[in-house]
Amino acid sequence: MISRVKGTQDILPARFTAKPDAQIERWLLVERVAREAFRRYGFEEIRTPIIERTELFERGVGAETDVNKEMYTFEDRDGEMVSLRPESTAPTVRAYSEHGMFNQAGLVKLFYIGPQFRRERPQKGRYRQFWQIGVEVLGQSDEPAIEAEVIEMLYWFLMELGISDTELLINSIGDGACRPAYISALREAIRERLPNLCGSCRQRYETNPLRVLDCKVESCQVHLAELPLISDSLCDACGNHFSEFRRLLDQRGIAYKIEPRLVRGLDYYMRTAFEITGSSLGAQNTLIGGGRYDGLSEILGGQPVKGFGFASGIERLVMSVPESTINLGVNRPELFVACVGADSRDYAFGVARRLRAAGISVIVDLEGRKLKKALAVANSLDAQYSLIIGEDEIKSGSYVLRDMKTGEQTSLRESEIIDTLKYRRL
Ligand code: AMP
């Protein structure tokens, strides 16, 4: 049998997989809680295409970034280069501009939930097709209050999921006024230490020196510790922005750690960068990453627009949700209908339709099994109840409701069945 592509996964009902990040019940919970948390803060959903012009990411993400190098890119039949999206900020900013959202008087607050594609080396918590939940706040304002509110919302979202063991890391990575001088100083300091640094540091020194700070290789750490920090080079505007952001986090009682070497993988970030790490995730422990990207729209050829947002991997959120928050039984059918005798099935369809109309999930045995076999199937489906309909039941208008856990059977009319199941659900 043909198997799935490396680095992808099937998300299945929990009864078919023991892998927590492949269980659909967990995904549905995370998506539902996200939509509700974001709604309360006035965010609206956007869905952009999975496929975009390669240029969007080449310009937006930066040609020399890891993300760009990992893209799935191909030439379309008309010669155009297209890519599967590796992230959704550039597509969201493109859509913002393409649909004239900049004409809005206030901030446009958007969120998305969808798959992303990066040809990375697969490992725990790292896939080639993975899903992100993200938000973008776009408009003419770069108030730090936007950043503090988004992080407050994130904490609400994590709390509702029961994910509490997290750490917020923040940094300011400067802007067009102060970063170029810092990058020159950084490059110079890296150059002096190049022989002692790993291959990837040496490559990043050429292409994206800020990312050298991000290196996790053990032997590089003593040398990286000696490099200059952006926090010592921030201009007044960036310094003030960062201290106001911190004040607003303090005011909300949100704890954070300043991580002076925190940078973001994508070129378009400026000023505030942040990450939320989770303790239960192992090596790939970044749960959420985000920051400010005021120049991105112009890089893409659009109007000047300021932006702030984050993206979070659903697989990693799903892995971090504790058992206590999950109801793996949400997909469980409430009722399995077993039909005794050939004629009763046509009749049972009508009963099933009316029960479904009352909101009950019903599976009718479509395979014409004998009662014993039908009940065995109901068991393997983990149905809460079975309803047995035969000739006698049709005549009397009362059917046998069997509690699959206790085996207890009661004869009930349709309206009583609805009441029983509804009562159970409360
Ligand atoms: P980034 O877009 O690289 O800033 O990543 C934002 C978030 O997406 C990370 O914090 C992860 O939660 C998630 N993520 C990024 N890359 C992957 C991947 N290959 N597999 C699973 N999750 C990922």
Side-chain angles (χ1 to χ4, degrees), residues 67 87 118 120 125-128 130 132 264 266 286-289 311-313 315-316:
V67 168
E87 57 96 46
R118 297 181 194 172
E120 299 190 88
R126 202 208 264 167
Y127 296 95
R128 290 181 172 175
F130 61 99
Q132 283 184 334
R264 305 280 309 131
L266 312 178
T286 311
L287 205 51
I288 295 162
S312 175
E315 291 79 2
R316 294 186 198 175

PDB file of all heavy atoms in Angstrom, residues 67 87 118 120 125-128 130 132 264 266 286-289 311-313 315-316, ligand 1:
ATOM      1  N   VAL A  67      13.639  29.462   6.332  1.00  0.00           N
ATOM      2  CA  VAL A  67      12.275  29.170   5.896  1.00  0.00           C
ATOM      3  C   VAL A  67      12.195  29.206   4.381  1.00  0.00           C
ATOM      4  O   VAL A  67      11.581  28.343   3.745  1.00  0.00           O
ATOM      5  CB  VAL A  67      11.285  30.179   6.524  1.00  0.00           C
ATOM      6  CG1 VAL A  67       9.918  30.076   5.872  1.00  0.00           C
ATOM      7  CG2 VAL A  67      11.173  29.945   8.025  1.00  0.00           C
ATOM      8  N   GLU A  87       4.497  29.975   5.669  1.00  0.00           N
ATOM      9  CA  GLU A  87       3.983  30.750   6.801  1.00  0.00           C
ATOM     10  C   GLU A  87       2.844  31.604   6.255  1.00  0.00           C
ATOM     11  O   GLU A  87       2.647  31.678   5.042  1.00  0.00           O
ATOM     12  CB  GLU A  87       5.093  31.605   7.425  1.00  0.00           C
ATOM     13  CG  GLU A  87       5.775  32.565   6.449  1.00  0.00           C
ATOM     14  CD  GLU A  87       5.193  33.948   6.502  1.00  0.00           C
ATOM     15  OE1 GLU A  87       4.990  34.456   7.601  1.00  0.00           O
ATOM     16  OE2 GLU A  87       4.931  34.520   5.427  1.00  0.00           O
ATOM     17  N   ARG A 118       7.088  23.209   5.131  1.00  0.00           N
ATOM     18  CA  ARG A 118       8.523  23.494   5.130  1.00  0.00           C
ATOM     19  C   ARG A 118       9.260  22.159   5.038  1.00  0.00           C
ATOM     20  O   ARG A 118       8.983  21.250   5.823  1.00  0.00           O
ATOM     21  CB  ARG A 118       8.957  24.207   6.425  1.00  0.00           C
ATOM     22  CG  ARG A 118       8.323  25.558   6.596  1.00  0.00           C
ATOM     23  CD  ARG A 118       8.804  26.242   7.872  1.00  0.00           C
ATOM     24  NE  ARG A 118       7.944  27.376   8.175  1.00  0.00           N
ATOM     25  CZ  ARG A 118       7.992  28.089   9.299  1.00  0.00           C
ATOM     26  NH1 ARG A 118       8.880  27.776  10.233  1.00  0.00           N
ATOM     27  NH2 ARG A 118       7.180  29.100   9.498  1.00  0.00           N
ATOM     28  N   GLU A 120      11.689  20.579   6.247  1.00  0.00           N
ATOM     29  CA  GLU A 120      12.677  20.498   7.321  1.00  0.00           C
ATOM     30  C   GLU A 120      12.990  19.033   7.616  1.00  0.00           C
ATOM     31  O   GLU A 120      12.295  18.140   7.154  1.00  0.00           O
ATOM     32  CB  GLU A 120      12.116  21.130   8.595  1.00  0.00           C
ATOM     33  CG  GLU A 120      11.787  22.604   8.417  1.00  0.00           C
ATOM     34  CD  GLU A 120      11.478  23.268   9.743  1.00  0.00           C
ATOM     35  OE1 GLU A 120      12.420  23.737  10.381  1.00  0.00           O
ATOM     36  OE2 GLU A 120      10.311  23.316  10.127  1.00  0.00           O
ATOM     37  N   GLY A 125       7.604  16.931  17.075  1.00  0.00           N
ATOM     38  CA  GLY A 125       7.148  18.332  17.071  1.00  0.00           C
ATOM     39  C   GLY A 125       7.592  19.127  15.857  1.00  0.00           C
ATOM     40  O   GLY A 125       7.408  20.330  15.807  1.00  0.00           O
ATOM     41  N   ARG A 126       8.208  18.460  14.882  1.00  0.00           N
ATOM     42  CA  ARG A 126       8.585  19.192  13.676  1.00  0.00           C
ATOM     43  C   ARG A 126       8.206  18.386  12.430  1.00  0.00           C
ATOM     44  O   ARG A 126       8.663  17.254  12.262  1.00  0.00           O
ATOM     45  CB  ARG A 126      10.083  19.471  13.677  1.00  0.00           C
ATOM     46  CG  ARG A 126      10.400  20.650  12.765  1.00  0.00           C
ATOM     47  CD  ARG A 126      11.767  20.551  12.211  1.00  0.00           C
ATOM     48  NE  ARG A 126      12.710  21.325  12.991  1.00  0.00           N
ATOM     49  CZ  ARG A 126      14.025  21.206  12.857  1.00  0.00           C
ATOM     50  NH1 ARG A 126      14.526  20.356  11.985  1.00  0.00           N
ATOM     51  NH2 ARG A 126      14.825  21.941  13.570  1.00  0.00           N
ATOM     52  N   TYR A 127       7.335  18.970  11.637  1.00  0.00           N
ATOM     53  CA  TYR A 127       6.806  18.275  10.467  1.00  0.00           C
ATOM     54  C   TYR A 127       7.069  19.080   9.204  1.00  0.00           C
ATOM     55  O   TYR A 127       7.442  20.247   9.272  1.00  0.00           O
ATOM     56  CB  TYR A 127       5.286  18.074  10.630  1.00  0.00           C
ATOM     57  CG  TYR A 127       4.931  17.191  11.784  1.00  0.00           C
ATOM     58  CD1 TYR A 127       4.603  17.739  13.028  1.00  0.00           C
ATOM     59  CD2 TYR A 127       4.944  15.809  11.646  1.00  0.00           C
ATOM     60  CE1 TYR A 127       4.301  16.922  14.109  1.00  0.00           C
ATOM     61  CE2 TYR A 127       4.634  14.989  12.718  1.00  0.00           C
ATOM     62  CZ  TYR A 127       4.320  15.547  13.945  1.00  0.00           C
ATOM     63  OH  TYR A 127       4.017  14.744  15.001  1.00  0.00           O
ATOM     64  N   ARG A 128       6.845  18.440   8.065  1.00  0.00           N
ATOM     65  CA  ARG A 128       6.961  19.160   6.791  1.00  0.00           C
ATOM     66  C   ARG A 128       5.627  19.795   6.413  1.00  0.00           C
ATOM     67  O   ARG A 128       5.611  20.835   5.781  1.00  0.00           O
ATOM     68  CB  ARG A 128       7.464  18.207   5.710  1.00  0.00           C
ATOM     69  CG  ARG A 128       8.908  17.842   5.977  1.00  0.00           C
ATOM     70  CD  ARG A 128       9.472  16.918   4.946  1.00  0.00           C
ATOM     71  NE  ARG A 128      10.910  16.782   5.167  1.00  0.00           N
ATOM     72  CZ  ARG A 128      11.686  15.962   4.492  1.00  0.00           C
ATOM     73  NH1 ARG A 128      11.171  15.210   3.534  1.00  0.00           N
ATOM     74  NH2 ARG A 128      12.966  15.912   4.755  1.00  0.00           N
ATOM     75  N   PHE A 130       2.711  21.207   8.656  1.00  0.00           N
ATOM     76  CA  PHE A 130       2.255  21.434  10.025  1.00  0.00           C
ATOM     77  C   PHE A 130       1.225  22.550   9.969  1.00  0.00           C
ATOM     78  O   PHE A 130       1.107  23.255   8.970  1.00  0.00           O
ATOM     79  CB  PHE A 130       3.431  21.808  10.940  1.00  0.00           C
ATOM     80  CG  PHE A 130       4.147  23.067  10.528  1.00  0.00           C
ATOM     81  CD1 PHE A 130       3.887  24.280  11.151  1.00  0.00           C
ATOM     82  CD2 PHE A 130       5.059  23.041   9.490  1.00  0.00           C
ATOM     83  CE1 PHE A 130       4.527  25.438  10.755  1.00  0.00           C
ATOM     84  CE2 PHE A 130       5.703  24.208   9.083  1.00  0.00           C
ATOM     85  CZ  PHE A 130       5.442  25.403   9.718  1.00  0.00           C
ATOM     86  N   GLN A 132      -0.650  26.001  11.589  1.00  0.00           N
ATOM     87  CA  GLN A 132      -0.455  27.134  12.491  1.00  0.00           C
ATOM     88  C   GLN A 132      -1.776  27.847  12.755  1.00  0.00           C
ATOM     89  O   GLN A 132      -2.626  27.973  11.872  1.00  0.00           O
ATOM     90  CB  GLN A 132       0.519  28.152  11.885  1.00  0.00           C
ATOM     91  CG  GLN A 132       1.977  27.713  11.987  1.00  0.00           C
ATOM     92  CD  GLN A 132       2.945  28.763  11.474  1.00  0.00           C
ATOM     93  OE1 GLN A 132       2.590  29.590  10.633  1.00  0.00           O
ATOM     94  NE2 GLN A 132       4.169  28.737  11.958  1.00  0.00           N
ATOM     95  N   ARG A 264      14.141  36.549  15.472  1.00  0.00           N
ATOM     96  CA  ARG A 264      13.151  35.750  14.771  1.00  0.00           C
ATOM     97  C   ARG A 264      13.764  35.247  13.470  1.00  0.00           C
ATOM     98  O   ARG A 264      14.623  35.903  12.897  1.00  0.00           O
ATOM     99  CB  ARG A 264      11.896  36.579  14.478  1.00  0.00           C
ATOM    100  CG  ARG A 264      11.280  37.217  15.699  1.00  0.00           C
ATOM    101  CD  ARG A 264      10.424  36.267  16.516  1.00  0.00           C
ATOM    102  NE  ARG A 264       9.453  35.568  15.707  1.00  0.00           N
ATOM    103  CZ  ARG A 264       9.271  34.247  15.747  1.00  0.00           C
ATOM    104  NH1 ARG A 264       9.975  33.505  16.556  1.00  0.00           N
ATOM    105  NH2 ARG A 264       8.366  33.687  14.986  1.00  0.00           N
ATOM    106  N   LEU A 266      12.634  35.104  10.525  1.00  0.00           N
ATOM    107  CA  LEU A 266      12.240  35.751   9.275  1.00  0.00           C
ATOM    108  C   LEU A 266      12.731  37.193   9.259  1.00  0.00           C
ATOM    109  O   LEU A 266      12.769  37.867  10.288  1.00  0.00           O
ATOM    110  CB  LEU A 266      10.713  35.704   9.125  1.00  0.00           C
ATOM    111  CG  LEU A 266      10.107  34.316   9.390  1.00  0.00           C
ATOM    112  CD1 LEU A 266       8.602  34.348   9.287  1.00  0.00           C
ATOM    113  CD2 LEU A 266      10.662  33.287   8.413  1.00  0.00           C
ATOM    114  N   THR A 286       9.514  25.636  21.266  1.00  0.00           N
ATOM    115  CA  THR A 286       8.847  26.911  21.002  1.00  0.00           C
ATOM    116  C   THR A 286       7.399  26.654  20.605  1.00  0.00           C
ATOM    117  O   THR A 286       7.116  26.069  19.570  1.00  0.00           O
ATOM    118  CB  THR A 286       9.555  27.699  19.885  1.00  0.00           C
ATOM    119  OG1 THR A 286      10.936  27.732  20.187  1.00  0.00           O
ATOM    120  CG2 THR A 286       9.026  29.114  19.801  1.00  0.00           C
ATOM    121  N   LEU A 287       6.512  27.126  21.457  1.00  0.00           N
ATOM    122  CA  LEU A 287       5.082  26.901  21.249  1.00  0.00           C
ATOM    123  C   LEU A 287       4.526  27.991  20.331  1.00  0.00           C
ATOM    124  O   LEU A 287       3.718  27.731  19.443  1.00  0.00           O
ATOM    125  CB  LEU A 287       4.423  26.997  22.627  1.00  0.00           C
ATOM    126  CG  LEU A 287       3.123  26.305  22.939  1.00  0.00           C
ATOM    127  CD1 LEU A 287       3.171  24.850  22.544  1.00  0.00           C
ATOM    128  CD2 LEU A 287       2.840  26.446  24.441  1.00  0.00           C
ATOM    129  N   ILE A 288       4.993  29.214  20.585  1.00  0.00           N
ATOM    130  CA  ILE A 288       4.443  30.374  19.880  1.00  0.00           C
ATOM    131  C   ILE A 288       5.591  31.342  19.597  1.00  0.00           C
ATOM    132  O   ILE A 288       6.458  31.538  20.450  1.00  0.00           O
ATOM    133  CB  ILE A 288       3.398  31.076  20.777  1.00  0.00           C
ATOM    134  CG1 ILE A 288       2.199  30.140  21.019  1.00  0.00           C
ATOM    135  CG2 ILE A 288       2.936  32.411  20.167  1.00  0.00           C
ATOM    136  CD1 ILE A 288       1.337  30.509  22.175  1.00  0.00           C
ATOM    137  N   GLY A 289       5.591  31.920  18.400  1.00  0.00           N
ATOM    138  CA  GLY A 289       6.614  32.923  18.092  1.00  0.00           C
ATOM    139  C   GLY A 289       5.953  34.098  17.388  1.00  0.00           C
ATOM    140  O   GLY A 289       5.030  33.907  16.594  1.00  0.00           O
ATOM    141  N   ALA A 311       2.504  33.344  15.424  1.00  0.00           N
ATOM    142  CA  ALA A 311       2.049  32.064  14.885  1.00  0.00           C
ATOM    143  C   ALA A 311       2.398  30.983  15.885  1.00  0.00           C
ATOM    144  O   ALA A 311       3.418  31.055  16.568  1.00  0.00           O
ATOM    145  CB  ALA A 311       2.733  31.772  13.552  1.00  0.00           C
ATOM    146  N   SER A 312       1.516  30.007  15.944  1.00  0.00           N
ATOM    147  CA  SER A 312       1.684  28.944  16.920  1.00  0.00           C
ATOM    148  C   SER A 312       1.410  27.613  16.240  1.00  0.00           C
ATOM    149  O   SER A 312       0.448  27.491  15.482  1.00  0.00           O
ATOM    150  CB  SER A 312       0.676  29.191  18.032  1.00  0.00           C
ATOM    151  OG  SER A 312       0.720  28.143  18.917  1.00  0.00           O
ATOM    152  N   GLY A 313       2.262  26.638  16.458  1.00  0.00           N
ATOM    153  CA  GLY A 313       2.073  25.333  15.822  1.00  0.00           C
ATOM    154  C   GLY A 313       0.980  24.541  16.524  1.00  0.00           C
ATOM    155  O   GLY A 313       1.055  24.325  17.726  1.00  0.00           O
ATOM    156  N   GLU A 315       0.289  21.374  16.251  1.00  0.00           N
ATOM    157  CA  GLU A 315       0.796  20.089  16.771  1.00  0.00           C
ATOM    158  C   GLU A 315       1.388  20.286  18.168  1.00  0.00           C
ATOM    159  O   GLU A 315       1.203  19.468  19.062  1.00  0.00           O
ATOM    160  CB  GLU A 315       1.873  19.513  15.843  1.00  0.00           C
ATOM    161  CG  GLU A 315       1.372  19.039  14.482  1.00  0.00           C
ATOM    162  CD  GLU A 315       1.156  20.170  13.501  1.00  0.00           C
ATOM    163  OE1 GLU A 315       1.426  21.336  13.849  1.00  0.00           O
ATOM    164  OE2 GLU A 315       0.697  19.885  12.376  1.00  0.00           O
ATOM    165  N   ARG A 316       2.139  21.373  18.329  1.00  0.00           N
ATOM    166  CA  ARG A 316       2.791  21.592  19.632  1.00  0.00           C
ATOM    167  C   ARG A 316       1.773  22.011  20.697  1.00  0.00           C
ATOM    168  O   ARG A 316       1.908  21.642  21.862  1.00  0.00           O
ATOM    169  CB  ARG A 316       3.883  22.645  19.493  1.00  0.00           C
ATOM    170  CG  ARG A 316       4.992  22.107  18.611  1.00  0.00           C
ATOM    171  CD  ARG A 316       6.169  23.024  18.553  1.00  0.00           C
ATOM    172  NE  ARG A 316       6.977  22.678  17.388  1.00  0.00           N
ATOM    173  CZ  ARG A 316       8.039  23.346  16.987  1.00  0.00           C
ATOM    174  NH1 ARG A 316       8.427  24.424  17.658  1.00  0.00           N
ATOM    175  NH2 ARG A 316       8.710  22.965  15.927  1.00  0.00           N
TER     176      ARG A 316
HETATM  177  P1  AMP B   1       7.811  30.382  12.874  1.00  0.00           P
HETATM  178  O1  AMP B   1       6.810  30.642  11.773  1.00  0.00           O
HETATM  179  O2  AMP B   1       9.050  29.664  12.406  1.00  0.00           O
HETATM  180  O3  AMP B   1       8.053  31.566  13.733  1.00  0.00           O
HETATM  181  O4  AMP B   1       7.104  29.309  13.828  1.00  0.00           O
HETATM  182  C1  AMP B   1       6.017  29.631  14.651  1.00  0.00           C
HETATM  183  C2  AMP B   1       5.543  28.382  15.351  1.00  0.00           C
HETATM  184  O5  AMP B   1       5.137  27.413  14.389  1.00  0.00           O
HETATM  185  C3  AMP B   1       6.615  27.668  16.150  1.00  0.00           C
HETATM  186  O6  AMP B   1       6.694  28.222  17.413  1.00  0.00           O
HETATM  187  C4  AMP B   1       6.092  26.254  16.186  1.00  0.00           C
HETATM  188  O7  AMP B   1       5.080  26.126  17.184  1.00  0.00           O
HETATM  189  C5  AMP B   1       5.454  26.106  14.839  1.00  0.00           C
HETATM  190  N1  AMP B   1       6.333  25.454  13.851  1.00  0.00           N
HETATM  191  C6  AMP B   1       7.275  26.018  13.066  1.00  0.00           C
HETATM  192  N2  AMP B   1       7.853  25.117  12.260  1.00  0.00           N
HETATM  193  C7  AMP B   1       7.261  23.932  12.524  1.00  0.00           C
HETATM  194  C8  AMP B   1       7.399  22.588  12.010  1.00  0.00           C
HETATM  195  N3  AMP B   1       8.244  22.286  11.039  1.00  0.00           N
HETATM  196  N4  AMP B   1       6.610  21.615  12.542  1.00  0.00           N
HETATM  197  C9  AMP B   1       5.710  21.900  13.522  1.00  0.00           C
HETATM  198  N5  AMP B   1       5.537  23.139  14.031  1.00  0.00           N
HETATM  199  C10 AMP B   1       6.293  24.139  13.544  1.00  0.00           C
END
